[in-house]
């Protein structure tokens, strides 16, 4: 019979029965098996994963700190819980004379029922790699939990400085937690086992939705707070609050401001013209022309306001108008009907406003200011000061 039980039969309960029916299961990978890994925690609560932490304690010797772990065997073998109650020292073999090698530090289960080793015990062991110009770590043996890769340089020995521990240890430990617990992610990010499982990625709480880990704010449909503004987006239309206080939306490829603009350009220099046709250049002004580039919003509409302090003559009209272009293409040409106009020999503040629609969302456009005076038979000048252009996207 395939169904296993614990503490039911009066006799005959096997070690395999006990392992297969443990109810204190850890992080699942499927309905029967769990993930091999180390239980998290530290003495002072400062670190996510302290169990089996390893450090160099002598030239060729490392010390493995105390910890608890589980090691999953094949599906019919169950899971092996292990505990190292006190730290343990392990010594590495001297390096090859010519080439470096990579050794593997593991917790290994010996079970005579499956490996014919005549041993039934758990051991911390070093699986020695093969020296080479580009050495590779050895394969992980069955029923083993990899802890660290250790690079052993060519010629390393106790007599010549040994292993440079600061650069030779590669941490392979991954955490596991009890069923339903929130997993602190260390090392590779593995798929979830069931929708509704949670993990802490270090920057955000995430939920497994059946196909991907979804950051907690998006699972709620809420706005990612600025404290987690580096969290990757999960879907188009997600919002986040940046550290600078700007609300942004994920458009599928990038975070973009939810509210763009307003866009503004001005020139406080006085300038004038005697031209009877529109010109972007004013005499006596250091900088010409005055122009403003903006990005069309999703509504494809903007409100543009422009104006200046203007003067001409009581019988002559000064005009300020805008031309809208997209690159070299004129989208909306100059038109007296939409110009700001004055006929006065004293300075008057004048502005105009209009709405433009039908733009292409996401494309850049440019407004450029043009000026003229009409009619002009006596070389009267139209003067312009404090000219400005403002564009407000419409939503």
């Amino acid at each position: 019979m395939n169904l296993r039980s614990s503490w039911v039969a009066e006799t005959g309960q096997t070690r395999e029965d006990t392992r297969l029916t443990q109810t204190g299961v850890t992080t699942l990978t499927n309905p029967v098996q769990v993930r091999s890994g180390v239980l998290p925690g530290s003495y002072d609560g400062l670190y996510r994963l302290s169990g089996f932490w390893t450090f160099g304690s002598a030239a060729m010797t490392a010390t493995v700190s105390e910890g608890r772990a589980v090691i999953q065997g094949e599906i019919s073998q169950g899971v092996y819980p292990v505990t190292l109650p006190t730290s343990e020292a392990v010594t590495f073999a001297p390096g090859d004379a010519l080439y470096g090698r990579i050794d593997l530090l593991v917790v290994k289960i010996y079970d005579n029922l499956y490996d014919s080793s005549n041993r039934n015990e758990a051991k911390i062991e070093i699986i020695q790699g093969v020296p080479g110009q580009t050495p590779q770590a050895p394969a992980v043996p069955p029923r083993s939990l990899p802890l660290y890769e250790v690079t052993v340089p060519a010629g390393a020995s106790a007599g010549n400085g040994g292993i440079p521990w600061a650069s030779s240890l590669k941490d392979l430990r991954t955490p596991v937690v009890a069923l339903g617990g929130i997993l602190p992610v260390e090392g590779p990010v593995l798929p979830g086992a069931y929708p509704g499982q949670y993990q802490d990625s270090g920057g955000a709480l995430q939920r497994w939705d059946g196909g991907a880990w979804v950051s907690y704010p998006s699972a709620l449909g809420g706005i990612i707070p600025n404290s987690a503004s580096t969290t990757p987006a999960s879907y188009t239309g997600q919002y986040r609050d940046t550290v600078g206080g700007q609300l942004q939306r994920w458009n599928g490829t990038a975070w973009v401001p939810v509210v763009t603009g307003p866009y503004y350009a001005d020139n406080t220099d006085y300038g004038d013209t005697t031209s009877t046709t529109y010109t972007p250049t004013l005499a006596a002004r250091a900088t010409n022309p005055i122009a403003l580039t903006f990005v069309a919003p999703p509504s494809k509409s903007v409100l543009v306001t422009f104006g200046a302090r203007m003067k001409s003559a009581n019988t002559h009209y000064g005009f300020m108008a805008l031309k809208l272009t997209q690159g070299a293409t004129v989208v909306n040409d100059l038109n007296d009907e939409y110009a700001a106009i004055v006929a006065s020999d004293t300075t008057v503040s004048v502005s105009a406003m209009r709405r433009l629609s039908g733009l292409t969302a996401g494309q850049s456009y440019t407004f450029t200011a043009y000026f003229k005076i009409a009619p002009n038979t006596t070389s009267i000048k139209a003067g312009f000061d404090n000219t400005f252009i403002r564009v407000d996207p419409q939503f």
Side-chain angles (χ1 to χ4, degrees):
M1 185 175 182
N2 289 328
L3 186 64
R4 305 296 185 95
S5 66
S6 293
W7 320 120
V8 174
E10 294 184 11
T11 61
Q13 179 172 323
T14 67
R15 293 172 296 153
E16 192 176 70
D17 291 333
T18 305
R19 291 193 304 271
L20 283 167
T21 55
Q22 290 183 92
T23 55
V25 293
T26 52
T27 307
L28 295 171
T29 58
N30 57 50
V32 179
Q33 293 177 294
V34 300
R35 186 186 302 180
S36 296
V38 179
L39 275 66
S42 61
Y43 288 110
D44 50 16
L46 291 176
Y47 305 100
R48 294 156 72 94
L49 193 61
S50 292
F52 297 95
W53 177 63
T54 299
F55 59 93
S57 52
M60 300 297 293
T61 300
T63 296
V64 182
S65 302
E66 58 271 24
R68 293 190 297 166
V70 292
I71 301 172
Q72 175 67 56
E74 297 297 328
I75 195 165
S76 63
Q77 297 172 6
V79 62
Y80 299 83
V82 297
T83 299
L84 181 65
T86 58
S87 60
E88 182 172 322
V90 290
T91 300
F92 291 80
D96 180 73
L98 296 177
Y99 301 112
R101 70 170 192 273
I102 298 176
D103 293 349
L104 193 64
L105 181 65
V106 302
V107 179
K108 183 176 180 180
I109 299 294
Y110 287 93
D111 190 336
N112 186 56
L113 184 62
Y114 307 116
D115 55 26
S116 302
S117 61
N118 294 319
R119 301 168 65 181
N120 292 296
E121 60 179 338
K123 299 285 289 183
I124 294 179
E125 290 192 353
I126 298 169
I127 311 300
Q128 189 167 307
V130 177
Q133 289 183 328
T134 55
Q136 302 295 317
V140 179
R143 292 172 299 280
S144 296
L145 175 66
L147 299 177
Y148 285 85
E149 288 181 4
V150 181
T151 300
V152 181
S157 68
N160 69 353
I163 298 172
W165 295 108
S167 59
S168 291
L169 289 169
K170 180 181 178 181
D171 195 348
L172 303 178
R173 298 171 301 158
T174 56
V176 293
V177 293
L179 179 63
I182 296 175
L183 179 70
V185 177
E186 295 287 336
V189 177
L190 301 177
Y194 56 90
Q197 182 180 0
Y198 283 89
Q199 70 175 21
D200 179 0
S201 68
L205 185 64
Q206 296 179 327
R207 179 184 181 274
W208 181 254
D209 69 356
W213 289 107
V214 179
S215 296
Y216 192 67
S218 68
L220 294 178
I223 297 171
I224 299 175
N226 58 26
S227 60
S229 60
T230 58
T231 303
S234 299
Y235 59 89
T236 299
Q238 185 177 10
Y239 289 87
R240 75 173 183 182
D241 179 21
T242 65
V243 175
Q246 183 186 56
L247 185 63
Q248 294 182 330
R249 178 183 181 273
W250 181 254
N251 66 6
T253 57
W255 289 104
V256 296
V258 173
V259 179
T260 57
Y263 302 87
Y264 188 83
D266 66 354
N267 191 322
T268 59
D269 284 347
Y270 173 85
D272 52 40
T273 183
T274 58
S275 176
T276 57
T277 59
Y278 279 115
T279 175
T281 303
L282 292 177
R285 176 172 280 185
T287 303
N288 286 288
I290 176 173
L292 177 63
T293 298
F294 66 95
V295 177
S299 68
K300 306 177 185 179
S301 300
V302 297
L303 192 66
V304 58
T305 308
F306 61 99
R309 294 182 64 195
M310 302 165 54
K311 69 176 182 177
S312 55
N314 293 333
T315 57
H316 292 70
Y317 292 88
F319 290 77
M320 175 182 175
L322 298 182
K323 178 186 288 188
L324 179 63
T325 56
Q326 183 182 27
T329 302
V330 176
V331 177
N332 198 276
D333 210 347
L334 300 165
N335 190 325
D336 289 353
E337 187 175 349
Y338 300 111
I341 307 172
V342 69
S344 173
D345 55 9
T346 59
T347 301
V348 179
S349 293
V350 181
S351 66
M353 178 187 296
R354 65 176 300 201
R355 183 177 183 270
L356 290 172
S357 59
L359 307 177
T360 301
Q363 295 297 309
S364 293
Y365 292 83
T366 299
F367 277 116
T368 304
Y370 283 76
F371 311 90
K372 72 175 182 178
I373 184 170
N376 193 4
T377 58
T378 58
S379 298
I380 295 175
K381 296 179 180 180
F384 303 87
D385 198 4
N386 294 340
T387 51
F388 74 93
I389 307 172
R390 171 173 171 157
V391 171
D392 290 274
Q394 301 294 285
F395 296 98

